[in-house]
Amino acid sequence: QVQLVESGGGLVQAGGSLRLSCAGSGRTFGTYAMGWFRQSPWKEREFVSAINWSGGRTYYADSVKGRFTISRDNAKNEVYLQMNSLKPEDTAVYSCAADAYRLRLRTNSYEYAYWGQGTQVTVSS
């Protein structure tokens, strides 16, 4: 089992940057693929990005490609989401999640077994 805690959210102006962190517990953290999802009051939860267990493969939603970067440090049990050139439409609660499936990166939230509580990101125009 993995417990996840996000941090790093906040209020930022459009064009600014934020770096989200996701701290995981347990010795098996490094065996999980990790994903970031976001949800705003007016939209369903949507996939943002994912990274495989080793950090060698990443995948991004088209809406964030070129602006966001996912990375991980298994020695620290942490995953990061660097968000640049933020837009008001990026405003949402961002959550990290862990997926035990290792053959490919998945984008459906129901496929992820463990979730953090989320951190609010607000981008003002």
Side-chain angles (χ1 to χ4, degrees), residues 36 38 46-50 58-70 81-87 89-90 94 105 107:
W36 284 98
R38 66 186 182 186
E46 64 173 342
F47 169 81
V48 176
S49 183
T58 59
Y59 187 70
Y60 298 92
D62 288 342
S63 59
V64 307
K65 198 173 296 182
R67 300 188 297 124
F68 291 10
T69 303
I70 191 171
L81 186 67
Q82 178 66 44
M83 307 185 295
N84 298 330
S85 302
L86 283 162
K87 305 175 182 180
E89 52 263 43
D90 293 319
Y94 284 71
L105 296 175
T107 62

Side-chain angles (χ1 to χ4, degrees), residues 52-120:
N52 77 326
W53 66 274
S54 69
R57 281 186 290 139
T58 59
Y59 187 70
Y60 298 92
D62 288 342
S63 59
V64 307
K65 198 173 296 182
R67 300 188 297 124
F68 291 10
T69 303
I70 191 171
S71 61
R72 70 188 297 161
D73 185 341
N74 287 340
K76 296 182 177 180
N77 278 10
E78 292 188 343
V79 177
Y80 311 101
L81 186 67
Q82 178 66 44
M83 307 185 295
N84 298 330
S85 302
L86 283 162
K87 305 175 182 180
E89 52 263 43
D90 293 319
T91 295
V93 174
Y94 284 71
S95 300
C96 64
D99 181 11
Y101 190 72
R102 300 183 68 169
L103 294 183
R104 61 177 174 85
L105 296 175
R106 303 198 289 188
T107 62
N108 295 307
S109 59
Y110 61 81
E111 293 172 318
Y112 285 72
Y114 304 107
W115 290 81
Q117 83 290 347
T119 185
Q120 176 70 46

